[in-house]
Amino acid sequence: MSKRLLVVDDDGDMGELLQEALRARGWDVTWMARAEEAFDALQSDEYDAVVTDLNLEGMSGIELCRRVIEKRPDIPIIIITGFGCMDAAISALRARACDFMNKPIDMGVLAHSLERAMHHRELKEELKRLRRETARPRIAGELIGQSSVMVKLHELIRRVSDTDTSVLLTGESGTGKELVAKALHLEGQRADKPFVAINCAAVPENLLESELFGHTRGAFTDAKTARKGLFEEANGGTLLLDEVGEMPLAMQAKLLRVLQERRVRPVGSSTETPFDVRIIAATNRDLDQEVEEGRFRQDLYYRLNVVHIHVPPLRSRGNDVLLLAQHFVRRFGERMGKPVTGVSPEAAKKLLTYDWVGNVRQLENWMERAVALARFEQITVDDLPEKLTTAETQPKAALAEFDSDHVLNLEEVERRYIERVLRFAGGNKLQAAKLLGLDRRTLYRKLERYESQSSP
């Protein structure tokens, strides 16, 4: 436990006595003679408690106490004096000092008072922490899953959430990247500050700069009033740049400058405003490939990709499909006022064998549909979309490829296997190359060849 103490006394002998006696009791003591100097030190450095004389040259101990409490109400202050009286004691308590002592000081009593004040401070901090914890929505709890990939994802979120490090989220559309971004925000120190998200693909290029950085009145034709940008709206909190891979190159250069300078200039303004925002970016594109092909700036990529989190596709999560389905059935059942409690074994089998190209978003959509159509307490096969219920016939159809008229050559088998691994990797070619044991450039050449063969 930190025990940094600031002693303020213009009597050199007393200051040295307090310093020596309290150091012997485990305190890291700094002694200063003037209250003004002590107040400045408390603004720039961290101390756990203050002991100050009442009568000081210049600012008094009472005034120091008042000013410190205004800025740092968590710091306990003990006032000591050689001229004790009831009025002085009352003034000290009104200034919110935690204790008042007369000289000569009993060092054992002073040390005990400091320990008691520190214990009280720790209890208050713990109560604040518990209030924050109980008030905070535990969004990571909505990232349902017990599969190994989800256990790793939760662990990574816990390790990264309390830092301000930029995070790049990758994964297929519908895997829950925004949910992961919210978990990183709400599990961290910025939980009580804003979480702001923008879909970079949904905003026209000519409006994206204004949306992010804000604009002044008259900056362009429709700018009737000044408007803050999302960087300022998210100040102190987190900004999610969703679909960042869709951002135009010209805008990428402006974003990079803002992230480097940590200052934003609204469109039409000549002044810059500092901001304090944690950046999380998300994309379903392979940014390594985008950089290689010149569609994404390498310097911006490195700025965003400090920690990379890949959100796994649903098809790689095994029985998590059933856990999620059960979660959605309960939610939609309560919302619609229907007594649907679960999924039948036959329907569960269908859910487990489906490929889930649309990932969790697709499952959620189909479970909402199933609950709306449900006639019983459990979702049956009849409640599921035809596309899902007929998926079981696909393996039979695949067997037809191996009859005498449909034998596949080795190149076609390789091609289909590579495409399947690429889908499993969420379109991430670098990860797919590692899974296949191929050099990245070798994989790129094969994919280019397949594309040229399929083009007219």
Side-chain angles (χ1 to χ4, degrees):
M1 181 184 71
S2 172
K3 293 176 66 173
R4 293 197 66 199
L5 176 66
L6 181 60
V7 170
V8 189
D9 200 312
D10 53 10
D11 180 338
D13 291 337
M14 189 63 190
E16 288 180 5
L17 177 64
L18 288 167
Q19 192 172 39
E20 185 177 339
L22 293 170
R23 276 179 178 169
R25 288 169 169 81
W27 286 86
D28 177 8
V29 185
T30 300
W31 166 52
M32 294 182 179
R34 295 181 58 80
E36 291 84 359
E37 182 186 4
F39 183 72
D40 290 340
L42 286 162
Q43 306 309 301
S44 59
D45 208 347
E46 285 294 323
Y47 290 93
D48 298 299
V50 175
V51 173
T52 179
D53 191 21
L54 176 68
N55 297 305
L56 296 166
E57 188 177 339
M59 186 193 304
S60 70
I62 296 290
E63 182 59 25
L64 174 63
C65 182
R66 284 200 193 96
R67 292 177 67 173
V68 171
I69 292 296
E70 280 180 10
K71 297 286 187 181
R72 291 289 306 276
D74 58 311
I75 296 181
I77 300 175
I78 296 175
I79 295 179
I80 59 177
T81 182
F83 307 96
C85 65
M86 185 60 68
D87 288 343
I90 290 172
S91 296
L93 294 175
R94 282 178 177 170
R96 293 168 63 188
C98 69
D99 207 346
F100 180 84
M101 293 185 183
N102 290 316
K103 296 178 182 179
I105 302 298
D106 183 322
M107 293 300 171
V109 173
L110 176 58
H112 178 70
S113 180
L114 282 168
E115 294 292 346
R116 189 175 64 236
M118 287 293 293
H119 181 63
H120 183 64
R121 179 188 182 189
E122 286 170 10
L123 287 175
K124 286 172 69 175
E125 289 300 314
E126 180 64 11
L127 282 172
K128 284 182 186 176
R129 188 190 67 78
L130 289 172
R131 287 192 194 103
R132 285 197 303 269
E133 288 295 313
T134 54
R136 178 187 297 179
R138 308 301 289 182
I139 193 77
E142 295 183 23
L143 290 167
I144 294 165
Q146 298 174 356
S147 59
S148 60
V149 289
M150 288 303 290
V151 170
K152 289 178 182 176
L153 178 62
H154 278 281
E155 175 61 24
L156 199 49
I157 289 171
R158 279 193 291 272
R159 289 169 62 187
V160 176
S161 58
D162 268 335
T163 72
D164 283 336
T165 302
S166 296
V167 177
L168 177 64
L169 303 175
T170 61
E172 297 175 15
S173 180
T175 50
K177 294 187 289 295
E178 184 167 350
L179 203 59
V180 174
K182 287 179 179 177
L184 287 166
H185 172 73
L186 291 171
E187 297 291 330
Q189 298 172 341
R190 297 175 179 263
D192 58 342
K193 302 298 182 182
F195 174 85
V196 178
I198 180 173
N199 186 329
C200 299
V203 181
E205 181 177 351
N206 60 331
L207 296 179
L208 189 55
E209 182 178 2
S210 167
E211 194 72 16
L212 286 171
F213 308 150
H215 62 254
T216 60
R217 181 182 177 185
F220 47 85
T221 305
D222 293 327
K224 309 294 185 191
T225 59
R227 182 181 178 279
K228 283 185 179 180
L230 297 186
F231 273 90
E232 288 189 76
E233 285 187 20
N235 198 38
T238 303
L239 177 60
L240 170 62
L241 302 171
D242 200 6
E243 303 296 351
V244 72
E246 310 294 332
M247 185 177 286
L249 275 169
M251 190 62 214
Q252 290 177 32
K254 294 175 182 177
L255 175 62
L256 176 65
R257 181 184 176 280
V258 165
L259 296 182
Q260 288 172 335
E261 302 294 330
R262 309 301 292 181
R263 302 175 74 86
V264 65
R265 178 185 295 174
V267 177
S269 175
S270 59
T271 60
E272 294 184 331
T273 304
F275 64 85
D276 171 28
V277 171
R278 185 188 193 173
I279 299 296
I280 300 177
T283 182
N284 58 15
R285 287 179 175 265
D286 180 351
L287 288 191
D288 279 306
Q289 183 181 356
E290 296 294 299
V291 168
E292 273 197 22
E293 297 178 1
R295 291 192 292 268
F296 200 85
R297 292 181 63 104
Q298 187 177 58
D299 42 10
L300 178 59
Y301 175 58
Y302 289 135
R303 177 70 60 173
L304 297 174
N305 188 23
V306 179
V307 173
H308 175 213
I309 297 179
H310 181 69
V311 185
L314 184 54
R315 61 184 168 277
S316 71
R317 293 173 52 183
N319 288 340
D320 285 354
V321 173
L322 299 184
L323 292 175
L324 283 161
Q326 182 69 35
H327 169 72
F328 293 137
V329 166
R330 264 199 305 268
R331 183 208 290 175
F332 292 123
E334 290 172 4
R335 186 181 298 176
M336 298 178 195
K338 298 188 72 170
V340 186
T341 58
V343 179
S344 71
E346 295 79 12
K349 185 178 177 182
K350 296 288 184 183
L351 296 176
L352 284 171
T353 55
Y354 190 66
D355 199 31
W356 298 109
V357 177
N359 291 296
V360 179
R361 188 181 296 135
Q362 182 183 19
L363 175 63
E364 181 180 12
N365 179 274
W366 283 3
M367 288 302 99
E368 182 176 7
R369 175 190 186 277
V371 171
L373 296 176
R375 295 165 294 168
F376 308 106
E377 289 187 357
Q378 289 190 321
I379 299 296
T380 67
V381 173
D382 290 340
D383 302 322
L384 300 175
E386 185 179 355
K387 187 175 181 180
L388 196 160
T389 58
T390 57
E392 192 177 51
T393 62
Q394 290 175 0
K396 295 178 183 177
L399 290 175
E401 295 176 342
F402 292 92
D403 65 22
S404 59
D405 296 321
H406 299 88
V407 175
L408 299 175
N409 60 41
L410 287 175
E411 185 176 4
E412 181 64 12
V413 171
E414 180 191 71
R415 172 179 176 163
R416 293 189 181 201
Y417 183 69
I418 287 174
E419 288 174 345
R420 182 170 181 80
V421 171
L422 189 59
R423 287 199 304 273
F424 176 81
N428 187 314
K429 293 178 182 175
L430 186 60
Q431 187 180 5
K434 289 178 182 177
L435 291 171
L436 289 163
L438 294 174
D439 177 75
R440 184 177 62 181
R441 296 189 181 280
T442 302
L443 176 60
Y444 284 175
R445 283 197 298 272
K446 287 179 180 291
L447 293 174
E448 286 171 3
R449 187 171 72 250
Y450 299 155
E451 187 174 352
S452 65
Q453 289 172 350
S454 60
S455 60

